[in-house]
Amino acid sequence: MKPFSNEIDYQCWLNYEHIKDQSLLNEYAKYLKNIVINENSYIIDSIKDEIYYSINKILGISPLINNYTNSNKFITISKIGKNNLVDSFLKDEEIIAIDEEGFLIKTVNSHDKKFIIVTSKSDNGLLYGTFYLIRTLQEKKLLDDLYVLENPKTPLRMINHWDNLNGNIERGYAGKSIFYRNYELVDNLDRIRDYARLLSSVGINAISLNNVNVGKEEARLIDDKIYIVETLYEIFKRYGIKVFLSVNFASPIMIGGLKTADPLNKEVNEWWKKRANFIYDHIPEFGGFLVKADSEDQPGPYSYNRNHADGANMLAEALAPHNGLIIWRAFVYNCYQDWRDQNTDRAKAAYETFIPLDGQFLDNVIIQIKNGPMDFQVREPVNPLFGGLKKTNQILELQITQEYTGQQKHLCYLVPQWKEVLDFDTYLFGEGTSVSEIISGVPFNSKKFGIAGVSNVGDDTNWTGHTLAQANLYGYGRLTWNPELKSSQITDEWIKCTFGNNSKLLENLSNMLQNSWTIYEKYTSPLGIGWMVNPGHHYGPNVDGYEYSRWGTYHRANHFGIGVDRTLKSGTGFTRLYQQPNFEMFEHLESCPEELLLFFHHVSYIYKLKNNKTLIQHIYDTHFEGVEDVQELINQWIELEGLIDNKRYQDVLSRLLEQKEHAKEWRDVINTYFYRKTMIYDEKCRKIYP
Ligand code: GCU
């Protein structure tokens, strides 16, 4: 196995930097010269490839990989029950504690031998254990006393691609699709294998291969273009990743020649069952379908006066005999209604659609819910469907691609944002039912729960456009494995594996990453209001610009104040969708977290915030501060010159400089807008401008 490119930015956190410290090298070499693997499978082949390649690069030696060794120091990678030596050193409680995809790594002392066991109940677990061991080397940790028992905390750990067959990516900011070009598969399959390596190294076990907005050509992926999926499946399965496809609900009409896609129509049912048989004939371990229905021009059951349970269950029945899943998106709202009328509150749409159906979905249906009730804004409260649904399988959907968070031109590290979502207590089953608890499936006693992220990857050499946006992909993966990991730990790991262990580098880069989300928030949309972007592409400041915000419905700014009153008392009543005590917390101006103030309340410009500043002064000041903070990001980066290869140094520097220019534009557009809005009518506000 050779990665497709040797470019350092291409290799991301798997660049396996050579260790220069001779004593550490000697120490590592004692164990890593001999690797015992006495099993065979396609995943085991990937493990052998990775271990051989990584040891070669990190240590500069070629390890011997055999099913036996005479050496008294070695590593052995083997499943439980497959190797007497390994089994004899496992305690019963350890065997019980390891879940299907978990692993155990431990250093064993026995007579004259000292060796490291990597073991699991499954090939996937061995793969994850191997990557963990390699990361231990990258972080330069000692091997003498290793003891790690890890299980993934969420069962489904998924990446969603919004790639179209023509090679374009919806909301892609890093070039073209790495899968498709001109309605066919790309030539470069090695690159796809490298992508699979990156994903499995952080624990991803599922991928959907095409855009949720499924066009005519993409609909053919479950028909005469299935050979494309087959090839991708062959690549991803070697890394323990199941493939899924987005399907168009109207496929029976689009590609089947039927006159209807009515989920209660017999012919339609039969058509989907035949399709399912056809798919599983080609792809025996196919994961299932991802469906966007009745949303933003995608067809769905509403066209036939059916509900979303009717739609999802019909597909679920077709896939059930093959153990396939239907992942049905909760992102359902009527954008035209939003545009026409001032009184609908889009934030309530998903809740109102799905809560009445709770308990009506078949067991192989999972509802995929965006983190917030709107659409991946820089800050939103947690979607109240988490905390509402009690009898339905659920997946959390995050957006790794930075549609509303700077489009990979701006540095915006999203792990701190995701941590807030995951840690949020929904109080679904009383105190302590956080979002991460829900998506673990444990409170529901089900494995059909998990997390999905919209990919930020394209065919740019560095995969993500902005080199530092690689950290979002890494961090996302690590959080899918363990949502309880601290943001600082993930950040440190990523820096060490990607750039090395230099302490100045660790300090500056970790500061930059950890602060970047709130910096971005400062100079863009304040206090949870969101949406102030140009229509269509959603980049750059435009207070009234968002395409469905015709009446300013998304921010309700007038000359007195700004923000959407979503209270029960006087507004849309959205706050009532939360369990107590969250409802009370959001309902009242005084207890509402300030960073979400304008999401929940319409607030006067002269309202005093906790820092004793008026709201308008806060907006004005933070927009200036945000720009100054970007300058500080640049200063910190410049200090790293020479500690980082020139390619990545220059790439990031140029993006930071561009970010600063855009941040100034944001500052000026937003502040001018509110200056104009307030100065005309409000004497008090005018005082803040010199
Ligand atoms: C956003 C995004 C769309 C996307 C949609 C979705 O609205 O702008 O491009 O299709 O989300 O999640 O389906």
Side-chain angles (χ1 to χ4, degrees), residues 249 291-295 298-301 308 328-329 331-332:
F249 193 76
V291 191
K292 171 176 179 178
D294 290 319
S295 173
Q298 288 298 300
H308 282 249
W328 190 271
R329 295 177 85 222
F331 185 65
V332 176

Side-chain angles (χ1 to χ4, degrees), residues 162 170-171 212-213 292 296 329 331 370 375-376 397 403-404 538:
W162 286 0
E170 179 146 345
R171 313 304 175 192
V212 285
N213 298 313
K292 171 176 179 178
E296 299 179 341
R329 295 177 85 222
F331 185 65
K370 286 191 183 185
D375 192 5
F376 301 136
E397 179 177 326
E403 178 178 0
Y404 291 98
H538 300 162

Side-chain angles (χ1 to χ4, degrees), residues 39 78-83 86-87 90 94-95 98 119-122 126:
E39 289 177 60
S78 165
K79 283 205 293 277
I80 298 168
K82 296 280 175 157
N83 177 321
V86 171
D87 290 343
L90 295 181
E94 286 173 332
I95 298 176
I98 304 172
T119 192
S120 169
K121 288 177 180 156
S122 65
L126 288 185

Side-chain angles (χ1 to χ4, degrees), residues 607-648:
Y607 175 79
K608 283 266 177 73
L609 297 173
K610 294 198 178 92
N611 61 10
N612 223 17
K613 283 185 185 175
T614 59
L615 172 64
I616 191 69
Q617 187 73 51
H618 172 87
I619 293 174
Y620 179 86
D621 289 350
T622 47
H623 281 76
F624 274 91
E625 264 170 48
V627 175
E628 284 157 23
D629 290 351
V630 177
Q631 182 56 51
E632 189 45 37
L633 292 176
I634 296 171
N635 298 346
Q636 293 194 41
W637 185 252
I638 286 174
E639 284 177 10
L640 302 181
E641 190 174 10
L643 298 176
I644 286 174
D645 55 285
N646 202 39
K647 185 169 190 228
R648 289 185 296 183

